[in-house]
């Protein structure tokens, strides 16, 4: 995309509709109350800014990638130190959040265990990655053990490893799963405790800039009524809706960030079969989730899976999905209601049953029941590396008053607090001396965005 076209597309426009009364000028408006927007709003409020956080859903979400009770959290990221840093720094930021929420309480009622469930994370992969894997484990300082042969698998874990497949297990504090729902609730409590506001059931339908006043005009719909909010600074954290929301200010994002549907299935072992398992076998199910399995050697065969929750009979409900089990999105507003297809259910059953066979557990495909399934949407960039950056202006320079977080793919939850910190620092034009922070911010940031858009 050349500069002439960018100039035409990026021209700021002033909204023609005017509010019936003089609007209040807000210091910062953050659009999107999921993990990314909430983490950013908290970091801004923490640094003394008055923030208005706008979320189109109610306080209990029914859609979005932040929906649910469990996502995999892990320190080991198979050779990519940036993803490792995002998780590890996020853990520290959550500790700071918990400490703030407990301030002034007679007895602490918030704890980090509300957010993280520490458990071993199991990785299953092809043996050919062994050397690279060892190098990344040492570099990222992961506590782990590993089985690289059938004999080692049986001896160490009592598992049945196929040929050319290894199993590595990570044992780090706060690696295991992260609860997005609980983290969002904690962040919203902290934001309001700081004197900022969280608005639910409010949708931003349009955003434009007024070059005369250097303010941003946000048209919002609240229970069917429209009004305009003016803001000095804006953060966009609306996931797959990024291109639509910023179409007037940054139309290049509509092609740069590509929404893709990813399905998730929820399975349980038939109650009679599960109850017949020994205590050791039941414990093994608990111990060997969450798992990231890429042993099939193909992107389509890879899956992630974890225990979402335990039902009333204390039976595990297993969630499974695949980062590469993607399909195009025809209508963003309807996609959340799309049911799983027969082939998607079959893939989920086959993948889970195959893993149970590897774990040497007496459960076959016929013993699983489908409890639920839903569609979520990943926002992807072409490189599948997220963007946390000021907007690109017509002159090729950054707009320091508008920061966008997008293209998080499936790597958002575990690093959400760090993404939010980077976004807040960008908006406030603050830097950090930490070398990995700088490397990470650069990999996600403006120079990378400009290269993606302008190719230079």
């Amino acid at each position: 995309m050349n500069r002439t076209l960018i100039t035409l597309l990026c021209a700021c426009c002033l909204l023609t509709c005017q509010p019936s009364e003089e609007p209040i000028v807000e210091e910062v408006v953050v659009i999107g109350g999921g993990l990314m927007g909430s983490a950013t709003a908290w970091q801004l409020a923490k640094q003394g800014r008055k923030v208005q956080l706008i979320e189109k859903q109610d306080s209990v979400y029914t859609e979005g990638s932040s929906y649910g009770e469990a996502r995999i959290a892990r320190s080991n990221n198979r050779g990519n130190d940036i993803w490792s840093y995002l998780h590890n720094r996020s853990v520290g930021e959550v500790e700071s959040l918990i400490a703030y929420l407990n301030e002034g309480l007679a007895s602490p009622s918030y704890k980090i265990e509300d957010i993280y469930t520490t458990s071993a994370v199991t990785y299953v992969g092809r043996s050919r990655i062994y050397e690279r894997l060892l190098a990344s484990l040492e570099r990222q300082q992961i506590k782990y053990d590993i089985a690289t042969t059938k004999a080692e698998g049986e001896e160490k874990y009592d598992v049945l490893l196929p040929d050319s497949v290894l199993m590595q297990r990570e044992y780090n504090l706060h690696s295991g799963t992260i609860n997005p729902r609980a983290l969002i609730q904690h962040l919203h409590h902290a934001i309001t405790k700081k004197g900022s506001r969280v608005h639910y059931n409010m949708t931003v339908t349009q955003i434009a800039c007024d070059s005369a006043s250097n303010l941003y005009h946000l048209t919002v719909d609240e229970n069917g009524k429209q009004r305009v909010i003016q803001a000095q600074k804006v953060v966009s954290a609306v996931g797959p809706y990024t291109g639509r929301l910023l179409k007037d200010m940054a139309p290049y994002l509509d092609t740069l960030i590509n929404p893709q549907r990813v399905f998730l299935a929820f399975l349980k072992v038939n109650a009679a079969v599960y109850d017949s398992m020994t205590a050791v076998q039941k414990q093994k199910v608990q111990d060997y989730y969450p798992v990231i399995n890429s042993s099939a050697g193909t992107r389509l065969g890879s899956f992630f899976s974890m225990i979402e929750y335990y039902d009333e009979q204390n039976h595990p409900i297993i969630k499974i999905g695949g980062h590469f089990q993607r399909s195009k999105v025809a209508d963003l507003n309807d996609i959340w209601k799309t049911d799983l297809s027969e082939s998607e259910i079959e893939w989920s059953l086959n993948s889970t049953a195959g893993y149970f066979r590897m774990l040497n557990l007496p459960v076959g495909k016929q013993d699983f029941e489908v409890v639920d399934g839903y569609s979520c949407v990943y926002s992807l960039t072409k490189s599948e590396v997220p963007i946390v950056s000021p907007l690109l202006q017509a002159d090729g320079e950054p707009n320091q008053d508008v920061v966008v977080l997008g293209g998080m793919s499936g790597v958002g939850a575990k690093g959400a607090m760090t993404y939010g910190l980077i976004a807040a620092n960008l908006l406030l034009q603050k830097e950090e001396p930490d070398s990995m922070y700088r490397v990470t911010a650069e990999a996600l940031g403006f120079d990378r965005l400009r290269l993606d858009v302008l190719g230079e």
Side-chain angles (χ1 to χ4, degrees):
M1 194 178 291
N2 59 39
R3 286 186 179 276
T4 303
L5 183 56
I6 288 292
T7 301
L8 291 173
L9 293 176
C10 289
C12 286
C13 61
L14 177 61
L15 294 175
T16 56
C17 59
Q18 296 297 325
S20 58
E21 58 186 44
E22 190 68 25
I24 297 172
V25 177
E26 304 293 351
E27 185 175 1
V28 185
V29 173
V30 177
I31 310 168
L35 282 173
M36 303 307 148
S38 299
T40 306
W42 157 242
Q43 293 289 352
L44 289 165
K46 184 180 176 183
Q47 298 185 60
R49 299 305 190 268
K50 292 298 182 184
V51 183
Q52 306 296 316
L53 176 62
I54 296 177
E55 169 53 46
K56 70 185 183 73
Q57 299 185 79
D58 206 339
S59 57
V60 178
Y61 291 3
T62 57
E63 60 185 47
S65 59
S66 298
Y67 173 60
E69 298 181 14
R71 297 283 294 275
I72 297 178
R74 55 196 173 109
S75 296
N76 177 25
N77 283 277
R78 294 276 177 99
N80 194 315
D81 296 352
I82 290 174
W83 308 135
S84 182
Y85 173 78
L86 284 163
H87 165 76
N88 293 331
R89 180 66 186 267
S90 286
V91 170
E93 293 299 322
V94 170
E95 290 173 333
S96 174
L97 170 71
I98 296 297
Y100 172 73
L101 287 170
N102 282 323
E103 285 181 4
L105 300 180
S107 60
S109 57
Y110 296 90
K111 54 187 183 297
I112 197 167
E113 290 77 16
D114 299 335
I115 310 300
Y116 294 103
T117 298
T118 298
S119 60
V121 181
T122 301
Y123 304 83
V124 186
R126 307 297 285 180
S127 297
R128 61 174 176 258
I129 70 169
Y130 178 68
E131 296 297 335
R132 286 186 290 114
L133 175 60
L134 283 186
S136 70
L137 289 167
E138 295 301 323
R139 190 172 60 251
Q140 296 171 18
Q141 300 181 339
I142 307 300
K143 297 177 182 177
Y144 71 96
D145 59 28
I146 191 166
T148 60
T149 65
K150 286 184 177 182
E152 285 185 342
E154 292 178 12
E155 180 183 353
K156 287 187 174 184
Y157 308 133
D158 184 31
V159 300
L160 306 176
L161 291 180
D163 290 332
S164 303
V165 168
L166 59 78
M167 179 177 284
Q168 176 236 324
R169 310 199 71 211
E170 173 191 339
Y171 308 95
N172 279 347
L173 183 63
H174 306 315
S175 284
T177 57
I178 182 172
N179 187 326
R181 180 177 297 162
L183 179 53
I184 290 171
Q185 291 172 347
H186 282 43
L187 286 166
H188 290 187
H189 291 162
I191 290 164
T192 55
K193 185 178 177 181
K194 277 289 185 183
S196 291
R197 290 194 61 189
V198 180
H199 305 268
Y200 299 109
N201 301 306
M202 182 184 288
T203 304
V204 178
T205 59
Q206 190 176 11
I207 176 172
C209 59
D210 179 0
S211 57
S213 63
N214 290 322
L215 295 176
Y216 295 88
H217 293 214
L218 286 72
T219 304
V220 300
D221 185 295
E222 188 174 15
N223 298 319
K225 296 181 179 180
Q226 285 201 343
R227 61 188 178 95
V228 173
I229 297 174
Q230 292 186 358
Q232 297 173 1
K233 297 179 183 292
V234 176
V235 175
S236 172
V238 294
Y241 293 92
T242 300
R244 179 184 301 181
L245 177 64
L246 299 175
K247 64 182 185 299
D248 294 327
M249 298 179 63
Y252 49 82
L253 290 173
D254 194 34
T255 55
L256 184 60
I257 296 178
N258 179 26
Q260 293 278 303
R261 171 182 174 266
V262 176
F263 66 86
L264 295 168
F266 296 80
L267 312 175
K268 66 181 291 187
V269 179
N270 174 274
V273 174
Y274 186 78
D275 289 340
S276 70
M277 293 169 63
T278 67
V280 171
Q281 290 168 335
K282 291 176 182 177
Q283 186 64 45
K284 193 172 189 179
V285 174
Q286 179 175 321
D287 290 346
Y288 280 76
Y289 281 96
V291 58
I292 298 174
N293 190 326
S294 53
S295 61
T298 65
R299 289 159 72 93
L300 291 178
S302 301
F303 67 83
F304 56 85
S305 191
M306 68 215 74
I307 296 173
E308 179 80 356
Y309 61 91
Y310 287 84
D311 67 12
E312 294 178 353
Q313 289 74 44
N314 201 33
H315 293 178
I317 304 302
I318 297 168
K319 176 167 67 178
I320 183 170
H323 289 308
F324 305 107
Q325 292 290 324
R326 301 169 183 159
S327 56
K328 293 184 178 179
V329 176
D331 188 322
L332 270 174
N333 292 328
D334 290 338
I335 196 65
W336 315 103
K337 305 178 186 68
T338 302
D339 293 330
L340 271 62
S341 67
E342 290 185 9
S343 64
E344 290 168 343
I345 292 173
E346 189 74 3
W347 178 91
S348 303
L349 290 169
N350 286 334
S351 298
T352 304
Y355 185 55
F356 268 61
R357 283 196 303 273
M358 187 182 297
L359 295 182
N360 198 19
L361 292 170
V363 182
K365 177 182 174 182
Q366 72 280 359
D367 299 320
F368 287 98
E369 300 174 2
V370 179
V371 176
D372 198 2
Y374 71 84
S375 299
C376 70
V377 180
Y378 285 172
S379 57
L380 299 167
T381 64
K382 289 182 179 179
S383 65
E384 300 188 6
V385 176
I387 295 169
V388 183
S389 170
L391 284 187
L392 174 67
Q393 296 184 135
D395 59 4
E397 295 301 313
N399 180 346
Q400 302 288 4
D401 293 328
V402 182
V403 170
V404 61
L405 298 89
M408 297 300 167
S409 182
V411 296
K414 63 179 174 289
M417 297 294 281
T418 313
Y419 289 119
L421 174 64
I422 294 170
N425 285 345
L426 285 172
L427 203 68
L428 302 178
Q429 299 185 45
K430 294 181 62 175
E431 296 184 359
E432 289 201 12
D434 180 75
S435 60
M436 272 308 300
Y437 173 92
R438 295 198 304 271
V439 168
T440 304
E442 182 178 347
L444 310 175
F446 179 74
D447 288 341
R448 173 278 178 93
L449 173 62
R450 183 165 58 180
L451 178 64
D452 285 352
V453 175
L454 298 176
E456 58 181 53

